[in-house]
Amino acid sequence: LSLEVLLELLRSRERGAMGMGSGGGTRPGKKIGVWGMVVVGFFWVHGGIYGNEAMLMAGPPLYVFIMLGVVPFVYSLPIALIVAELSTAFPEDGGYVVWVQQACGRVVGSHHAYWVWVIYVVDAAIYPVLVAQYVDTMVPMSEFRRGILSTALVGMVTGINLLGTDVMVKFNTLLAAVSLAPTVLFVAIGMPRLEPERTLVAHGELDSSLLVSWILWLYCGFFSLGTLAGELEQPRRTFLISIGILFPAVLLLNTLPLAVALSLDDVPAHYSAGYFNVLARRLAGRWLDYGFQLGANVCLIGLYNAAALTAERSLAFLVASHFTGEMNAVVERRRRSGGRADAMLVWLLAASETGVAPVYILFNAAVAASLVWAPYTRLVEFSMLLSVPSILLFMWSFVALRMKQPESLRARPFRIPGGLPTAVLITVVPIAISISYAVIVAAESFVPEPGSAGEGGHSARHKKGGARRHNAAGHQIRSMLGVIGAGVAVHALVVLLSARRRRRVEAKARTQGASLGSLPRSPGWEEAEEAAEEA
């Protein structure tokens, strides 16, 4: 009886299915308004302050706060405005994978969608691993049990997302509230003890590479805001209001808690990851410390969900851009059949309440659940450099679409004023920062290992840090080349197989034509053939 009920629920849901979902344009019955966009976008653009205290180990407070105050305006705000313009002009799920294909064609667009999927599915797998490591500090577990816990978290979030977009938005609302509450309380209780002059201290050791990387990581999430463009109510209004809320919120959340923390303890050497918990206990007692521990874990779950949403829709767009017709035909044929297996297959392939076909949610979850068993440090380093060519293509697509479709500018619901010169100008800083990061990684990959001829008499700490950066940079370069190379190899194989299939079809057609040519011709065939050629 329960199986029959399940199948009937699947059939009833699919009677209202709106096609293939992501990558196939907008869907009727959009479900996400301003509030939904804010709570989902929160984990794309911020997520929480947990771990940010370690920034003070990268440089003196003055340098940290200058970067926290300047980078949002020269890096994040241009990206947010570009995303707002393109999301309202092309309201399809997938965000910048859609825009790159619009500007650069299907071949480049497909490779880029594949890169973005890899970036985000690997990024998603990091967060359940961090939750398991955090729990392990309180309840010691074996490596196997940590892997089981990480896999279970992936399964839990996947199950919630399969219940539909409305449920997913409510889930994110709960995550955002629990994640934010300890931070708000920490700032509110600590504001009377604020000492702003401690943020102006300029002396101390500066690791510019680490500081720049950290700040860019904090503010790079605005790229993802277009991921759900195909599921929004009134995209122009939703985007502009959401950005108007999220941008200042992120700026305040990245600076105020850090200023309060420095007012409580101005010794940068104390600020390793997790020191906010210590300061919270010192400020308000054990209850706020426990609140930070809970908030940190909930934040990581929200960050996993945000990365998974982008990965799912990037994969859906990649598949839909090549196989929409075939998959829709399968859905329609199976829907008419009406069997149990057919109902399950229709549910897997046709998006309805979930915004994207469940097959992509489940496949993405299976990949993430496999990756959580990989070494954590490898996951962290894997796709960082791969984001650089993706960002460069995103920026080029914005300018290229302005040049390719100048007549459509006036019809865009929102456009950045100033014409083409302004469009080019606002991409300069993000492009320069991205290229600079790639140059830094490339340079660090060639730094000699500790103990080699070029190391001289550097301190043990410097040698250890140099070795870590050298190994991480090398892994990033190898990972990027491996992902791009795999995509090129698959593309070459598909082209080869398609060419072989086309030759077989042409040979078969020639054979059939020769066979038909040997048959007796009916009277008047020459006149009919000449008339066909003239037509």
Side-chain angles (χ1 to χ4, degrees), residues 161-494:
N161 286 341
L162 287 172
L163 295 175
T165 304
D166 284 347
V167 176
M168 182 270 291
V169 169
K170 292 174 183 176
F171 178 56
N172 271 270
T173 301
L174 175 63
L175 295 179
V178 176
S179 176
L180 266 177
T183 303
V184 173
L185 290 170
F186 179 76
V187 171
I189 298 172
M191 282 298 286
R193 302 173 63 173
L194 186 66
E195 298 181 24
E197 65 276 6
R198 292 192 176 185
T199 65
L200 305 178
V201 175
H203 57 80
E205 187 177 346
L206 174 65
D207 186 339
S208 56
S209 173
L210 177 60
L211 180 58
V212 170
S213 300
W214 200 302
I215 298 294
L216 291 182
W217 178 77
L218 279 179
Y219 287 120
C220 70
F222 287 88
F223 283 106
S224 299
L225 287 177
T227 298
L228 299 175
E231 299 173 58
L232 300 182
E233 297 173 351
Q234 304 177 46
R236 182 182 186 277
R237 175 180 177 273
T238 300
F239 262 103
L240 294 181
I241 296 177
S242 298
I243 290 172
I245 294 171
L246 289 170
F247 184 80
V250 168
L251 190 60
L252 291 173
L253 286 169
N254 282 334
T255 52
L256 278 181
L258 210 56
V260 170
L262 280 170
S263 302
L264 299 174
D265 184 350
D266 62 350
V267 181
H270 294 167
Y271 282 82
S272 58
Y275 195 58
F276 272 140
N277 297 34
V278 176
L279 294 177
R281 176 177 293 202
R282 186 184 303 173
L283 177 66
R286 184 173 296 179
W287 65 272
L288 191 54
D289 177 13
Y290 292 154
F292 265 80
Q293 294 181 36
L294 175 63
N297 284 285
V298 168
C299 169
L300 291 170
I301 295 172
L303 290 170
Y304 167 78
N305 191 38
L309 288 174
T310 302
E312 291 158 7
R313 280 147 181 83
S314 300
L315 180 62
F317 179 81
L318 173 61
V319 175
S321 63
H322 291 272
F323 302 108
T324 297
E326 293 88 339
M327 295 182 75
N328 279 333
V330 170
V331 169
E332 289 304 318
R333 187 166 61 250
R334 296 290 184 174
R335 184 181 285 123
R336 288 193 297 269
S337 298
R340 292 181 178 180
D342 296 317
M344 183 65 72
L345 186 60
V346 168
W347 175 76
L348 282 172
L349 295 179
S352 54
E353 300 299 320
T354 53
V356 64
V359 66
Y360 303 115
I361 298 175
L362 292 170
F363 180 80
N364 197 77
V367 174
S370 301
L371 289 173
V372 299
W373 297 88
Y376 164 70
T377 53
R378 291 300 187 189
L379 293 176
V380 171
E381 297 164 0
F382 186 85
S383 57
M384 290 171 63
L385 189 59
L386 185 59
S387 63
V388 172
S390 176
I391 291 169
L392 297 180
L393 279 175
F394 165 69
M395 292 297 171
W396 162 249
S397 299
F398 170 60
V399 176
L401 289 171
R402 281 282 188 107
M403 294 189 295
K404 282 184 175 181
Q405 304 176 4
E407 70 285 348
S408 69
L409 280 178
R410 291 185 179 180
R412 291 186 178 182
F414 168 76
R415 66 180 184 273
I416 300 170
L420 187 60
T422 302
V424 173
L425 185 63
I426 65 173
T427 65
V428 169
V429 173
I431 288 174
I433 290 174
S434 300
I435 292 175
S436 299
Y437 176 72
V439 170
I440 290 171
V441 171
E444 288 181 343
S445 69
F446 293 104
V447 172
E449 293 279 4
S452 63
E455 284 296 309
H458 287 190
S459 66
R461 178 185 173 188
H462 182 86
K463 289 181 179 181
K464 185 177 179 180
R468 178 187 56 78
R469 290 193 295 270
H470 173 83
N471 294 332
H475 181 60
Q476 288 185 55
I477 292 174
R478 290 189 296 271
S479 300
M480 182 188 73
L481 294 177
V483 170
I484 293 175
V488 171
V490 170
H491 182 214
L493 180 62
V494 169

Side-chain angles (χ1 to χ4, degrees), residues 9-33:
L9 285 172
L10 297 180
R11 292 191 188 102
S12 64
R13 176 172 288 186
E14 293 313 318
R15 291 187 193 110
M18 303 301 178
M20 293 305 299
S22 278
T26 59
R27 295 188 303 113
K30 298 175 184 176
K31 297 182 177 298
I32 300 178

Side-chain angles (χ1 to χ4, degrees), residues 494-506:
V494 169
V495 169
L496 181 64
L497 293 175
S498 298
R500 184 176 296 178
R501 181 183 178 189
R502 186 168 58 251
R503 285 196 297 269
R504 285 201 302 266
V505 171
E506 290 172 352

